[in-house]
Amino acid sequence: MNLIFEISNKGARCATIRKPDVKSAKINKKYARAEKPELPEVSEVDFARHYTALSRRAFGVDTGFYPLGSCTMKYNPKINEEVAALEGFTQIHPLQPEDSVQGALEVIETLGGYLAEITGMEGVTLQPNAGAHGEYTGLLLIKAYHAARGDTKRTKVIVPDSAHGTNPASAVMAGFEIINVPSDEEKGVDLEALKGVVGEDTAALMLTNPTTLGLFEKNIKEISKIIHNAGGLLYYDGANLNAVMGIVRPGDMGFDVVHLNLHKTFSTPHGGGGPGSGPVGCKKELVQFLPNPAVVKTDKGYKFDCGKKSIGKVASYYGNFGVYVRALAYITALGAEGIKSAAEHAVLNANYLKVNIEDLYPTEKGRHCMHEFVVSMQDLKDKTGVSAMDIAKTMIDRGYHPPTMYFPLIIHEALMFEPTETENKRTLDEVIAALREIYEEAFKDPEYMKAAPHHAQIGRPDEVKAARQPIVRYKKPE
Ligand SMILES: *Cc1c(COP(=O)(O)O)cnc(C)c1O
């Protein structure tokens, strides 16, 4: 496909712009560019066709089933986009004085309050721009908490092997050393192993719940006791809160800090790098360390408030404001009952898909899953040579986005399905039928599957090279 620069026609225009009725300003030469920028020149019809063609090559939640485990690729109501696009929100500047942006501050304060209620926490910052950024921020709060008590020998963060990959990475960035704990036979945290590693150097335990296997950590109270008795804090990775929201609260489970992914659970479409938001909630003892500025409600309206013990700013201005608006619109529309119902449907859909394929796609035996589940295709691979990757690629040919592959690492030939709460039974039944056919196909024509996809724009790119040496800038032919 041609780039828009390649279909450029000198003099073509999409729009006619009225002559300005104000005098043009003089710009100091040192700020002016020497040459005109090279911009594509196209007519409106070429412009429309170009971007429509591009959009049709992309797969998204609006095109089809997208069960990418742990990512919560659910359908988000379009009305929330409209609310976020209201001029009163998009045309304000982050440096405007408080009294001129009371509505925006009310959004921040109200949303923070709702999220505190949903998570069972006493303070919330919305600043972090992603889940991993929230983890980093939460760990800085934990570090500040220990430091303020003069407890400086707590340098280690315990991370179970079923945690999301960002957890250990964030802990290292926050300056901690990682201690891994294995899973027990039920794929929860191995309590004996945990007792063996906690001590006076434990700063925190980071737990992803439900785990990356989509299982609820049964021993959460026991884990909480072990960590707190050792003087450590408990961190909850709540990126996938759609599994439990409205039903249980991290704060009530004994957690001290939690982050959420608004771009997964609370109605911001994501993928392709953003925008995201990873608010962090914490218990009372940690509130004083939250990032500055906080937004507080006073008798005279909403105000910024800077605490002296704060860890400081973690994002430019106030974070991704448009994401807050979507989340607030979503929570307000659903209400307490709707939030709970969304979680129930996320879990119901995952279990429905699971029980209807697990005779062929084996999963953790005898357990209900939460919002997602992981299957192991090792047995099929041993019998036919068809791998989890080949199944994923075959799904593309059938118009479905593949599930998450080869993660978590503790399961061989893993596929992680997360259907999300927004799929209906008809779609799930179609997917179940397709997955059952794909399984049969592995025995009938494994070679065909190993060469899949046969009907996609691209087949099997070199993923390592694409990640390590990405070519993201167009070079004009000489
Ligand atoms: C997605 C996810 C994260 C990371 O969130 P980002 O916004 O991608 O940084 C962390 N933990 C879990 C469990 C997740 O699913």
Side-chain angles (χ1 to χ4, degrees):
M1 200 176 139
N2 283 324
L3 297 174
I4 193 149
F5 290 92
E6 291 162 340
I7 59 168
S8 177
N9 251 338
K10 206 161 178 43
R13 288 288 179 273
C14 274
T16 40
I17 298 173
R18 214 165 15 119
K19 275 220 160 63
D21 52 9
V22 289
K23 264 200 207 148
S24 53
K26 287 237 161 15
I27 291 177
N28 190 322
K29 257 232 169 78
K30 77 177 177 203
Y31 298 119
R33 58 192 306 152
E35 288 161 36
K36 280 192 175 169
E38 221 177 296
L39 297 174
E41 298 177 73
V42 290
S43 66
E44 187 173 315
V45 60
D46 285 344
F47 178 84
R49 283 185 186 152
H50 179 75
Y51 285 106
T52 304
L54 272 181
S55 77
R56 288 166 72 165
R57 291 184 149 219
F59 188 93
V61 174
D62 289 356
T63 16
F65 186 61
Y66 204 137
L68 194 64
S70 206
C71 294
T72 313
M73 302 302 285
K74 66 180 176 185
Y75 180 81
N76 295 299
K78 295 287 179 263
I79 183 131
N80 299 342
E81 298 300 311
E82 281 180 38
V83 178
L86 289 174
E87 270 194 9
F89 291 132
T90 58
Q91 298 298 313
I92 51 178
H93 192 280
L95 290 181
Q96 272 179 239
E98 288 158 344
D99 60 4
S100 72
V101 288
Q102 285 293 301
L105 299 187
E106 186 176 352
V107 167
I108 293 177
E109 205 271 341
T110 310
L111 178 63
Y114 285 164
L115 297 179
E117 175 70 28
I118 290 170
T119 54
M121 293 290 165
E122 280 141 310
V124 166
T125 177
L126 303 182
Q127 267 186 41
N129 288 323
H133 194 186
E135 292 166 22
Y136 175 73
T137 305
L139 288 160
L140 292 185
L141 297 180
I142 289 171
K143 203 173 198 179
Y145 168 83
H146 291 310
R149 292 155 49 95
D151 198 354
T152 49
K153 57 194 176 308
R154 299 193 178 269
T155 53
K156 293 181 180 157
V157 167
I158 303 171
V159 182
D161 62 2
S162 63
H164 194 268
T166 49
N167 291 188
S170 302
V172 167
M173 281 194 69
F176 291 106
E177 205 180 309
I178 307 302
I179 306 290
N180 269 298
V181 278
S183 300
D184 62 10
E185 267 168 23
E186 297 216 26
K187 299 285 188 283
V189 174
D190 185 326
L191 293 181
E192 289 314 309
L194 180 62
K195 284 177 196 159
V197 297
V198 293
E200 291 191 341
D201 56 1
T202 303
L205 170 99
M206 295 181 87
L207 201 81
T208 306
N209 194 21
T211 67
T212 50
L213 288 169
L215 298 173
F216 193 83
E217 176 58 65
K218 287 196 214 167
N219 297 317
I220 199 75
K221 284 224 156 123
E222 186 63 25
I223 292 168
S224 163
K225 217 190 276 165
I226 295 170
I227 297 296
H228 284 143
N229 284 348
L233 295 181
L234 222 52
Y235 184 97
Y236 189 101
D237 180 334
N240 303 134
L241 205 77
N242 64 328
V244 298
M245 60 184 180
I247 297 166
V248 287
R249 309 193 306 169
D252 300 336
M253 291 182 224
F255 286 87
D256 304 290
V257 184
V258 58
H259 87 264
L260 308 175
N261 277 27
L262 298 188
H263 49 295
K264 286 177 182 167
T265 311
F266 296 103
S267 189
T268 282
H270 69 120
S277 177
V280 171
C282 63
K283 287 279 176 68
K284 202 161 65 222
E285 306 75 53
L286 292 131
V287 170
Q288 56 186 324
F289 306 116
L290 282 170
N292 276 338
V295 175
V296 293
K297 193 176 178 179
T298 71
D299 296 342
K300 294 194 204 94
Y302 295 92
K303 287 215 168 331
F304 290 121
D305 182 49
C306 287
K308 285 204 181 67
K309 295 197 174 151
S310 163
I311 58 166
K313 255 172 121 46
V314 297
S316 59
Y317 297 124
Y318 314 108
N320 274 329
F321 182 77
V323 179
Y324 310 161
V325 178
R326 291 176 180 87
L328 185 59
Y330 181 77
I331 293 171
T332 312
L334 259 62
E337 275 310 304
I339 294 278
K340 182 172 175 219
S341 165
E344 287 167 350
H345 281 88
V347 174
L348 177 65
N349 279 356
N351 278 286
Y352 183 74
L353 182 59
K354 173 174 156 307
V355 299
N356 280 293
I357 61 170
E358 71 185 335
D359 54 330
L360 309 180
Y361 293 77
T363 173
E364 196 55 35
K365 286 205 175 49
R367 287 281 295 271
H368 289 307
C369 64
M370 296 298 291
H371 63 303
E372 65 190 8
F373 60 95
V374 181
V375 302
S376 169
M377 302 319 290
Q378 187 62 51
D379 185 53
L380 183 73
K381 190 176 178 192
D382 292 344
K383 286 179 183 150
T384 64
V386 168
S387 65
M389 170 75 88
D390 302 329
I391 292 171
K393 296 290 183 187
T394 304
M395 284 179 72
I396 295 174
D397 275 341
R398 295 194 174 234
Y400 301 126
H401 194 283
T404 296
M405 302 180 292
Y406 298 99
F407 185 81
L409 303 173
I410 46 179
I411 303 290
H412 296 294
E413 292 296 317
L415 290 177
M416 183 201 267
F417 289 93
E418 181 183 7
T420 81
E421 61 269 30
T422 55
E423 297 301 334
N424 64 22
K425 183 166 176 297
R426 193 184 58 202
T427 303
L428 294 177
D429 285 337
E430 283 167 7
V431 172
I432 288 162
L435 285 169
R436 299 191 71 88
E437 278 171 31
I438 289 171
Y439 185 88
E440 301 303 328
E441 202 172 301
F443 290 89
K444 284 186 219 139
D445 198 352
E447 294 313 312
Y448 187 76
M449 276 181 72
K450 284 184 207 168
H454 300 276
H455 310 298
Q457 299 288 350
I458 50 169
R460 300 200 180 206
D462 180 340
E463 286 169 15
V464 174
K465 198 168 170 200
R468 297 279 154 81
Q469 298 167 289
I471 303 169
V472 291
R473 186 162 170 220
Y474 173 65
K475 260 223 188 93
K476 217 171 130 194
E478 294 302 325

